[in-house]
Amino acid sequence: MAATSDPVAHAALRAAAQPGQAADAVHVEVSLPGEVADVPVTGEDADGSGEELDDRKRAVLRAIVTEYVSKGEPVGSKRVVDVARLDVSAATVRNEMSALESLGYIAQPHTSAGRVPTDKGYRRFVDDLRTDPALDGPRRELVQELLGGATDVEDLLARTSSVLSQLTRLVSLVIAPAVDTARLKLCELVGLGPGAGLLLLVADTGRVEKRSVELPPETTETDLDRVRTVLAEQVRGRRLGEVNTTITAIAEDAPSELREVLRAVAEATAPRLAEDTVHHVFVGGQASLAGDEAFEREHLSRVLQLIEERVTLARLLADATADDHPTVRIGEENEVEDLRAASLVAQRYQLVTAGSLGVLGPTRMDYATVLATVRAVADQLQATLTDLSR
Amino acid sequence: MAATSDPVAHAALRAAAQPGQAADAVHVEVSLPGEVADVPVTGEDADGSGEELDDRKRAVLRAIVTEYVSKGEPVGSKRVVDVARLDVSAATVRNEMSALESLGYIAQPHTSAGRVPTDKGYRRFVDDLRTDPALDGPRRELVQELLGGATDVEDLLARTSSVLSQLTRLVSLVIAPAVDTARLKLCELVGLGPGAGLLLLVADTGRVEKRSVELPPETTETDLDRVRTVLAEQVRGRRLGEVNTTITAIAEDAPSELREVLRAVAEATAPRLAEDTVHHVFVGGQASLAGDEAFEREHLSRVLQLIEERVTLARLLADATADDHPTVRIGEENEVEDLRAASLVAQRYQLVTAGSLGVLGPTRMDYATVLATVRAVADQLQATLTDLSR
DNA sequence: GCTGGCACTCGCGAGCCAGGTCTGCCAGGA
DNA sequence: TCCTGGCAGACCTGGCTCGCGAGTGCCAGC
């Protein structure tokens, strides 16, 4: 285990987190100060497992999870006694473990091997993490420094994705906030050739939408100029979500020679959900997924494919971040078949509307650290975002 | 081995090749008509291996390569006799194989296993592919159909990447042509808030460049309007490559109150090579790489990382496509350490200036089919591109 | 120059054994 | 009632052997 503050590693990370660059990753340690916060780590909200575990069982489970996560091998009763610093014998722990197994929290890969946490075990472990883990100071400052350098929202989100994947060594996902309520700063129609046009929409967040427009072939340059003027006058300043209806309305009232052109423009602004989201999911750290032994080949390929598609993933992430609390979806809790062996840790962030961010990795991940990191990055993202839009 | 024309598969591919979607891939077969073209498949151009192989040795090598590529197992003398339809005994082939081995074309993983092609063997095999392989009709039409539906250049390139990776089951790379000579259709400066602006450049190819501009804090809305007018008058219609110098010049002649703003704008148009290329490499099919058994974990992770970086890859691809012929870089021929186990098949395409495209995969790939596919896709891309810019 | 035959080399899988680890259970003690 | 030490049993792991099969190299003969 690396030291918590290693200047070399920090420097490497600092250099690496420029989007589009890469470097060997950095191991993250997290301090778990005693401050018990009241913020619960929400999840599926315990199916029927209200069954209370006594302190010792919880300690045993915690020991098994942390040990298994860090070592990757099934852990036996003896080791549990060691790491959990329990003042009882291994035999007692064995009894506890037996109980935990019949409750479904742990399982053994084969008779007479150690125990391994089940999805339910991880879930319980995460739910019991009431101590709100915080990222250590240096790392927190690092995140702040890296995100602070962003020039606009898009750049910021790209950096966020990069930081997140570097810190966690997992696949990072960042979805831009829905911008329906963002104000249009520019609405321009550019002619590219006979019958082909390009509509540019620029929001005050710095987001640029471009849509190709199929113009009626007989459209003249003068027509375009007139349309341009109309758009500039009537559309600028509107909310992005209103654009389509606004232009459609304009088209109906327009002089007949412009009507077709405006209809084409309106057509181009029709919401196309898939494409809209595809372009605004930032993904990073796919390579680390391949390096992770916890995933076997089969899953790896499936998960990568899912990542490549983006749209499913975007929906998933959005679904997972319904409220302000960090959310953890563990293994089977994911509805998507291909994510059976994976966990998702996600959190919402707010600007005017909410965006979400998170990481995806094998169920065998260091939930405490990951949660701390996701939370810290989300907070910092939100702060920088607020800064940026003043 | 799937049949060459399977309507179901075709339909699946058709659906799949919409960028952002995915489907199970389709096995590609290629017809190798006898038409012997004179176009050589260029590579590093035979180091010192001018040593002529007689016909039979070539046949043996060919058999070993094709058999190993399709089966993935070392191939022995007996099987060579079978697949190469040689009229000699296995013993004779053994002698030939022994010779091929001492010439460095093949190797055995361990004593008394079959032989496996070396990088040099693949190179020889590829060089001997003087018969210019062509993609079969149906597939060619399919490519044509899919690329034909593109609305603008960016969309077209995304589709190209998608088609390429689906057809080859390898990682596809597409670099947009350098657009220095494209004409500017629009040059707009948008104010996003105090001190922050966004410069939009739209080329007649449909490419949109956006650069954030750090404006002097005291810039007024009126200043912006004036700058906008200046830009519209002086910059529109220029070549993309001239923009920076043009604006710099304008800045010097401008009234002092606008000078700083224009300098900031000029600053934003300074060429930043890394970023420029990063945004214009289209990559697809990373998932298939993970599924390919030919790559072991270690390499896989490294290659994925390289892909994520983009910039190295872009340079590599550009380097590889210096002339009009398809280029194959096999294993060790790649200068980049991490690509030691990979091969790159690339080709240039021309619009006004050249762009490049290619695929990346394990050295154990079906070079004939891949070459045919890359070539066909490049041709079609070029045709569609010409169409699109009329 | 080709061929069939033969000896040799190895990888691979099965079977076996010893060592170690971990569990489950039980009887005794606090 | 709960904990504990002890012990038998299960089973993985690594090492070893053995036989099989695949594939080679070589050689003598045609």
Side-chain angles (χ1 to χ4, degrees):
Chain A
M1 299 295 103
T4 299
S5 48
D6 171 356
V8 177
H10 276 209
L13 180 60
R14 199 170 272 122
Q18 310 295 353
Q21 310 262 1
D24 267 4
V26 168
H27 199 94
V28 182
E29 303 274 312
V30 65
S31 63
L32 291 164
E35 38 149 331
V36 177
D38 230 23
V39 187
V41 175
T42 59
E44 293 286 274
D45 209 19
D47 32 314
S49 58
E51 54 221 354
E52 260 321 302
L53 297 183
D54 58 43
D55 283 357
R56 197 167 61 192
K57 282 199 184 56
R58 283 223 303 279
V60 170
L61 178 58
R62 194 164 1 136
I64 292 175
V65 171
T66 54
E67 197 62 11
Y68 180 65
V69 165
S70 75
K71 298 293 180 347
E73 290 163 2
V75 4
S77 55
K78 200 167 171 182
R79 190 178 285 164
V80 170
V81 179
D82 281 0
V83 311
R85 306 244 178 80
L86 292 176
D87 254 352
V88 293
S89 77
T92 308
V93 171
R94 282 203 284 279
N95 291 329
E96 300 287 40
M97 286 166 79
S98 178
L100 283 174
E101 178 160 19
S102 59
L103 288 173
Y105 291 113
I106 55 180
Q108 26 184 356
H110 54 261
T111 335
S112 134
R115 301 305 213 291
V116 159
T118 59
D119 287 354
K120 188 179 170 188
Y122 283 125
R123 158 59 52 207
R124 185 53 179 247
F125 172 79
V126 169
D127 285 346
D128 284 348
L129 273 181
R130 312 203 136 263
T131 317
D132 188 20
L135 205 61
D136 63 12
R139 243 158 260 271
R140 183 177 278 276
E141 279 165 29
L142 189 60
V143 171
Q144 190 170 349
E145 184 187 327
L146 288 169
L147 297 191
T151 55
D152 62 35
V153 177
E154 300 277 302
D155 180 35
L156 175 59
L157 296 179
R159 280 162 183 258
T160 303
S161 163
S162 173
V163 169
L164 207 47
S165 64
Q166 303 271 349
L167 282 174
T168 59
R169 308 272 260 133
L170 299 172
V171 172
S172 67
L173 307 169
V174 179
I175 303 189
V179 283
D180 277 5
T181 56
R183 297 280 177 183
L184 267 188
K185 278 289 186 178
L186 179 73
C187 176
E188 262 286 350
L189 183 62
V190 184
L192 291 182
L198 194 70
L199 181 73
L200 282 177
L201 303 173
V202 181
D204 56 7
T205 60
R207 172 160 161 187
V208 178
E209 273 297 323
K210 85 179 177 178
R211 300 286 173 86
S212 51
V213 183
E214 218 173 295
L215 297 171
E218 69 277 5
T219 313
T220 65
E221 196 54 45
T222 333
D223 290 342
L224 279 185
D225 276 340
R226 290 176 63 192
V227 169
R228 224 171 262 139
T229 318
V230 173
L231 290 178
E233 282 170 6
Q234 311 238 12
V235 181
R236 202 173 291 188
R238 302 242 169 210
R239 294 178 189 283
L240 218 50
E242 304 166 345
V243 169
N244 189 25
T245 48
T246 307
I247 300 183
T248 311
I250 296 174
E252 296 318 308
D253 296 344
S256 60
E257 69 272 23
L258 299 188
R259 197 167 300 155
E260 282 311 309
V261 179
L262 278 163
R263 278 197 186 137
V265 173
E267 166 79 12
T269 58
R272 282 166 298 174
L273 209 132
E275 281 202 24
D276 282 4
T277 53
V278 164
H279 292 108
H280 293 93
V281 186
F282 296 79
V283 178
Q286 295 174 63
S288 27
L289 206 60
D292 200 319
E293 299 296 329
F295 265 130
E296 70 249 15
R297 209 80 184 209
E298 175 61 21
H299 286 265
L300 185 61
S301 174
R302 296 244 210 94
V303 174
L304 282 179
Q305 189 140 355
L306 215 54
I307 291 173
E308 222 166 323
E309 281 179 47
R310 309 255 147 140
V311 50
T312 317
L313 218 53
R315 193 174 44 68
L316 213 69
L317 193 58
D319 284 357
T321 52
D323 62 23
D324 268 337
H325 301 136
T327 302
V328 183
R329 289 271 162 86
I330 299 167
E332 307 269 352
E333 294 172 8
N334 290 299
E335 289 131 29
V336 180
E337 175 73 18
D338 291 344
L339 292 182
R340 279 262 194 88
S343 285
L344 179 72
V345 178
Q347 178 160 8
R348 188 163 81 170
Y349 62 89
Q350 296 267 4
L351 179 58
V352 186
T353 57
S356 9
L357 97 203
V359 299
L360 184 71
T363 45
R364 193 200 124 200
M365 67 165 72
D366 180 350
Y367 292 95
T369 307
V370 168
L371 267 164
T373 310
V374 166
R375 163 188 283 273
V377 171
D379 288 353
Q380 187 55 48
L381 171 58
Q382 183 159 339
T384 314
L385 218 40
T386 318
D387 251 29
L388 216 55
S389 58
R390 239 136 310 213
Chain B
M1 298 293 99
T4 300
S5 49
D6 170 357
V8 177
H10 276 210
L13 181 59
R14 199 170 271 122
Q18 310 297 353
Q21 309 265 358
D24 266 4
V26 169
H27 199 97
V28 182
E29 303 273 312
V30 66
S31 64
L32 292 162
E35 37 148 333
V36 176
D38 231 25
V39 187
V41 174
T42 58
E44 292 286 275
D45 210 20
D47 32 316
S49 58
E51 56 221 353
E52 259 322 301
L53 298 184
D54 58 43
D55 283 356
R56 197 168 60 195
K57 283 198 182 58
R58 283 223 303 279
V60 170
L61 178 58
R62 196 166 0 144
I64 292 175
V65 170
T66 54
E67 197 61 11
Y68 180 65
V69 164
S70 74
K71 297 294 182 341
E73 289 164 2
V75 4
S77 54
K78 201 166 169 182
R79 190 177 286 163
V80 169
V81 179
D82 282 359
V83 311
R85 305 247 177 79
L86 293 176
D87 253 352
V88 294
S89 76
T92 309
V93 170
R94 282 203 284 279
N95 290 329
E96 301 288 39
M97 285 167 79
S98 177
L100 283 172
E101 178 161 19
S102 60
L103 287 172
Y105 290 113
I106 55 180
Q108 25 185 356
H110 53 262
T111 334
S112 136
R115 302 306 215 289
V116 158
T118 58
D119 286 353
K120 188 180 171 189
Y122 283 125
R123 159 58 53 208
R124 185 53 179 246
F125 172 80
V126 169
D127 286 345
D128 285 348
L129 272 181
R130 312 203 134 267
T131 316
D132 188 21
L135 205 60
D136 62 14
R139 242 159 262 271
R140 183 178 278 276
E141 278 164 33
L142 189 60
V143 171
Q144 191 170 349
E145 183 187 329
L146 288 169
L147 298 192
T151 54
D152 62 33
V153 177
E154 301 276 303
D155 180 35
L156 176 58
L157 296 178
R159 280 161 183 258
T160 303
S161 163
S162 174
V163 168
L164 207 47
S165 63
Q166 303 270 349
L167 282 175
T168 58
R169 308 272 260 133
L170 299 171
V171 172
S172 67
L173 307 168
V174 179
I175 303 189
V179 282
D180 278 5
T181 56
R183 297 280 177 184
L184 267 188
K185 279 287 185 179
L186 179 74
C187 177
E188 262 285 351
L189 183 62
V190 184
L192 291 183
L198 194 69
L199 182 71
L200 282 178
L201 304 173
V202 181
D204 55 7
T205 60
R207 170 161 163 186
V208 178
E209 273 296 323
K210 86 179 178 178
R211 300 286 173 85
S212 51
V213 183
E214 219 174 296
L215 297 171
E218 68 278 5
T219 313
T220 66
E221 196 54 45
T222 332
D223 290 342
L224 280 186
D225 275 341
R226 292 176 63 191
V227 170
R228 225 170 260 139
T229 318
V230 173
L231 290 178
E233 282 170 6
Q234 311 238 9
V235 181
R236 205 173 287 191
R238 301 243 171 210
R239 294 177 189 282
L240 217 51
E242 305 166 347
V243 170
N244 188 25
T245 47
T246 308
I247 299 184
T248 311
I250 296 175
E252 295 319 306
D253 296 344
S256 59
E257 69 272 23
L258 298 189
R259 198 167 299 154
E260 282 311 308
V261 179
L262 279 164
R263 276 196 187 135
V265 173
E267 166 78 12
T269 58
R272 281 166 298 174
L273 211 131
E275 281 200 25
D276 283 3
T277 54
V278 164
H279 292 108
H280 293 91
V281 187
F282 296 78
V283 178
Q286 296 174 62
S288 28
L289 206 60
D292 199 321
E293 297 297 329
F295 265 130
E296 70 251 13
R297 209 81 183 208
E298 175 61 22
H299 286 265
L300 186 61
S301 173
R302 296 243 210 95
V303 173
L304 282 179
Q305 189 139 357
L306 214 55
I307 291 173
E308 223 165 324
E309 282 179 46
R310 309 254 147 139
V311 50
T312 317
L313 217 53
R315 193 174 44 68
L316 213 69
L317 192 60
D319 284 358
T321 52
D323 62 25
D324 268 336
H325 300 135
T327 303
V328 183
R329 290 269 162 84
I330 299 167
E332 306 269 351
E333 294 172 9
N334 290 299
E335 289 131 29
V336 180
E337 175 73 17
D338 291 343
L339 292 183
R340 280 263 193 88
S343 285
L344 180 72
V345 178
Q347 179 161 7
R348 188 163 80 169
Y349 63 91
Q350 297 267 2
L351 179 58
V352 187
T353 57
S356 9
L357 99 203
V359 299
L360 183 70
T363 47
R364 193 200 124 199
M365 68 164 74
D366 180 350
Y367 292 96
T369 307
V370 169
L371 268 164
T373 310
V374 166
R375 164 188 283 272
V377 172
D379 287 352
Q380 188 54 48
L381 171 57
Q382 183 159 340
T384 315
L385 218 40
T386 318
D387 252 28
L388 216 55
S389 59
R390 239 135 308 216

